[in-house]
Amino acid sequence: MSIGEMLAATVPMARTLKLEFLETTPEKAVVALPDQSDFHNHVGGPHAGAMFTLGESASGAIVLAAFGEQLSRAVPLAVSAEIAYKKLAMGPVTATATLGRPAAEVVAELDAGQRPEFPVEIAIRREDGAVTGEMTVVWTLRPNS
């Protein structure tokens, strides 16, 4: 099962919004939110909450791809999130997530007995490529012990 399939199967909000996990690697995660009138706002575009969920889901996908080998000893948890809505989003939108720190650096802190924190940067774009939102989710790997 791919990371996208796993998230779609285990995260009810991802299923509810019918998120499409287009790419999930340790370097980049790309997740799409189809245009769905049930999730529109008052101006006919995707609701801010749906866009937040899209971005947070993309960040979770890259965290699982980059740190999946650490799951036996640490639990990934979102610590904080910030989003800025830049332009009107209309139609389908796509979130692209990238790690804000090298994965090896994060794992080295975990190896040293620390609880590392790291940002994931997300750009949300319309079909024409315009950035409609920018988001940062700070994650931690909480050691199991």
Side-chain angles (χ1 to χ4, degrees):
M1 183 181 290
S2 72
I3 289 172
E5 291 167 338
M6 181 186 69
L7 288 172
T10 60
V11 179
M13 280 303 294
R15 282 194 312 277
T16 298
L17 292 176
K18 298 180 177 77
L19 298 182
E20 300 168 1
F21 293 83
L22 306 177
E23 179 180 347
T24 305
T25 69
E27 291 75 38
K28 178 171 70 169
V30 181
V31 181
L33 173 65
D35 187 23
Q36 302 166 83
S37 60
D38 285 348
F39 304 112
H40 282 176
N41 59 21
H42 62 289
V43 294
H47 188 276
M51 291 193 353
F52 182 94
T53 301
L54 170 68
E56 195 275 340
S57 296
S59 77
I62 196 170
V63 167
L64 288 175
F67 302 107
E69 294 177 0
Q70 309 306 319
L71 295 181
S72 63
R73 65 182 182 139
V75 176
L77 298 170
V79 175
S80 65
E82 183 175 317
I83 191 166
Y85 301 101
K86 300 291 190 177
K87 291 184 183 221
L88 186 61
M90 298 297 280
V93 289
T94 304
T96 301
T98 55
L99 290 178
R101 288 181 56 200
E105 195 177 278
V106 174
V107 172
E109 289 181 13
L110 186 62
D111 290 341
Q114 300 173 11
R115 181 176 170 167
E117 289 190 4
F118 54 95
V120 175
E121 306 296 334
I122 303 106
I124 301 171
R125 290 184 172 82
R126 300 187 300 228
E127 278 188 311
D128 66 3
V131 174
T132 63
E134 294 175 336
M135 187 171 178
T136 302
V137 180
V138 176
W139 286 82
T140 188
L141 295 179
R142 186 191 75 201
N144 291 337
S145 52

